[in-house]
Amino acid sequence: MIRAKIIGLGSYVPERVLTNDDFEKIVETSNEWIVSRTGIMERHIARPDEDTSDMCVAAAREAFASAGVAPEEIDLVIAGTVTPDFRVPSMSCIIQKKLGLLNAATMDIVAACAGFIHGLSVAQAYIASGTFKRILVFGAEKLSSITDYTDRSTCILFGDAAGAAIIGKSDDDSGILAIHIKSDGRYDELLNIPAGGTHLPYVGNGSVDPKLSKLHMKGNEVFKYAVRHMGDAALRVITEAGLTPDQVDLLVPHQANIRIIKATAARLGLPMDKVYLNIEKYGNTSAASIPLALDHAVREGRIKKGDIVLGVAFGGGLTWGAVLFRW
Ligand code: COA
């Protein structure tokens, strides 16, 4: 069977930083509460004129350089996001235009924080079937555009970023060893944006509370499901690959909350020095979280050729997924 692998990675974070001290001036909170309950110290926020697709373009330029691939070689663009530039057309079409990816098909995937792993699983299937040879997968969010900055239980969590990965065929034993995605739509109301779809159109004329067009979350319930499903999904891909948790060299988890990450590592019996963390600098960047962390881990030398790397994510939907690589 043809095995897919990541052949190039790139990422982008906007310049502007919002620190916990800044939040002390916006809502009733404290640096101590935010750090102890989430592990977050600061997050990056996009400029008003900076669209999610602009962040993707910057991330993709790095991915092209690291893969040594030209834009015209891309057959398919997959963008995992819940904050696209427009409802129509898809963000992947906008990215296609901005990068001149004129030989590509395009699609967006809405799977919240698990969006990148969902995109990767689609890419993996297309590579394995031989349908496409070079696929550009994004996880990218401008969460600041859907954050309610009067809600202290959510606004302190989120940041903006983009990550890009170019997927191709593996010529050796490296690549995606196992990948798993899953959802449970019964818990749709634990993390949602109530208005803005056909159910409750947001028209901005005062008929719908503007706050309903922002993210709403029942944080402690989401927390419980995140811990359970991230652990289950991680163990599943490790077992499917015929490996055991102690063979994992680096866990690259979705950076939602340091306590969720520690619980997932503990479930796998992994020491924290085998866990990649950047939550303190970027907060929860939803679909961008895993590709951003993978890109930084590679550039910092935390991931080396031959390493067994485990990615695992969980988000609204509920959606989740895990992927195991031999790098
Ligand atoms: N500063 C100070 N106090 C805060 C606060 C803040 N920023 N946010 C909430 N609180 C308060 C609450 O009002 C509550 O006060 P009360 O006991 O007087 O009612 C108290 O802290 C506990 O709230 P709770 O929501 O139970 O806190 P928590 O320990 O669950 O932490 C989250 C809240 C959001 C950090 C946590 O639930 C979480 O990270 N959940 C998962 C998030 C996630 O992963 N989401 C996306 C999926 S990717």
Side-chain angles (χ1 to χ4, degrees):
M1 183 176 131
I2 301 172
R3 178 178 291 159
K5 74 180 280 187
I6 292 180
I7 59 173
L9 274 168
S11 63
Y12 172 81
V13 287
E15 228 173 273
R16 185 176 161 220
V17 173
L18 264 186
T19 65
N20 291 350
D21 288 348
D22 294 328
F23 274 101
E24 289 184 3
K25 294 172 199 119
I26 302 172
V27 287
E28 200 183 325
T29 190
S30 65
N31 176 54
E32 195 280 325
W33 192 95
I34 300 172
V35 172
S36 65
R37 303 308 291 166
T38 72
I40 300 166
M41 300 177 83
E42 53 190 40
R43 60 299 277 150
H44 290 243
I45 303 295
R47 298 186 312 271
D49 67 339
E50 198 169 30
D51 287 332
T52 313
S53 69
D54 295 322
M55 297 194 279
C56 288
V57 166
R61 291 201 200 287
E62 283 192 2
F64 280 120
S66 83
V69 163
E72 54 275 16
E73 291 179 68
I74 298 297
D75 304 310
L76 175 66
V77 181
I78 303 174
T81 189
V82 294
T83 48
D85 303 11
F86 303 99
R87 290 190 60 192
V88 179
S90 66
M91 187 173 77
S92 45
C93 275
I94 305 291
I95 296 167
Q96 176 181 43
K97 176 178 77 170
K98 289 183 176 172
L99 284 169
L101 310 173
L102 297 183
N103 295 318
T106 59
M107 66 173 83
D108 284 9
I109 289 190
V110 180
C113 306
F116 178 74
I117 291 185
H118 277 62
L120 205 53
S121 78
V122 174
Q124 186 258 354
Y126 272 126
I127 297 287
S129 71
T131 310
F132 293 123
K133 289 196 166 54
R134 295 272 185 267
I135 302 178
L136 180 53
V137 180
F138 293 95
E141 304 287 5
K142 186 173 175 177
L143 291 178
S144 57
S145 68
I146 53 166
T147 297
D148 176 357
Y149 285 98
T150 65
D151 176 5
R152 68 176 181 171
S153 69
T154 56
C155 70
I156 49 105
L157 299 172
F158 302 120
D160 301 334
I166 298 176
I167 317 300
K169 175 168 130 352
S170 172
D171 295 322
D172 53 25
D173 64 352
S174 67
I176 295 177
L177 304 179
I179 188 160
H180 168 67
I181 56 169
K182 187 77 174 38
S183 305
D184 192 340
R186 289 175 300 173
Y187 302 103
D188 57 332
E189 288 183 1
L190 294 188
L191 207 176
N192 68 355
I193 299 177
T198 57
H199 179 71
L200 185 58
Y202 181 67
V203 286
N205 64 0
S207 59
V208 174
D209 181 350
K211 284 189 181 175
L212 294 178
S213 66
K214 304 292 182 188
L215 260 176
H216 287 57
M217 181 170 69
K218 297 193 173 75
N220 42 22
E221 285 193 60
V222 171
F223 190 103
K224 280 187 289 191
Y225 288 109
V227 169
R228 182 196 305 169
H229 292 308
M230 283 172 74
D232 286 352
L235 285 170
R236 179 175 169 140
V237 291
I238 293 169
T239 307
E240 267 177 27
L243 300 178
T244 49
D246 58 297
Q247 291 175 285
V248 172
D249 294 298
L250 193 68
L251 168 63
V252 181
H254 171 44
Q255 311 279 317
N257 184 311
I258 187 70
R259 294 179 293 137
I260 295 175
I261 295 172
K262 282 185 175 165
T264 304
R267 173 97 185 271
L268 301 173
L270 288 178
M272 286 306 286
D273 62 359
K274 282 190 167 190
V275 181
Y276 187 79
L277 292 175
N278 62 11
I279 187 170
E280 69 285 358
K281 282 193 279 193
Y282 305 115
N284 181 348
T285 59
S286 186
S289 172
I290 299 249
L292 175 69
L294 280 175
D295 182 43
H296 286 198
V298 168
R299 287 173 201 273
E300 290 161 18
R302 292 283 305 273
I303 297 178
K304 297 173 295 301
K305 180 143 184 61
D307 280 354
I308 300 294
V309 178
L310 171 64
V312 58
F314 179 87
L318 304 171
T319 56
W320 60 93
V323 55
L324 195 72
F325 304 94
R326 180 176 289 111
W327 212 261

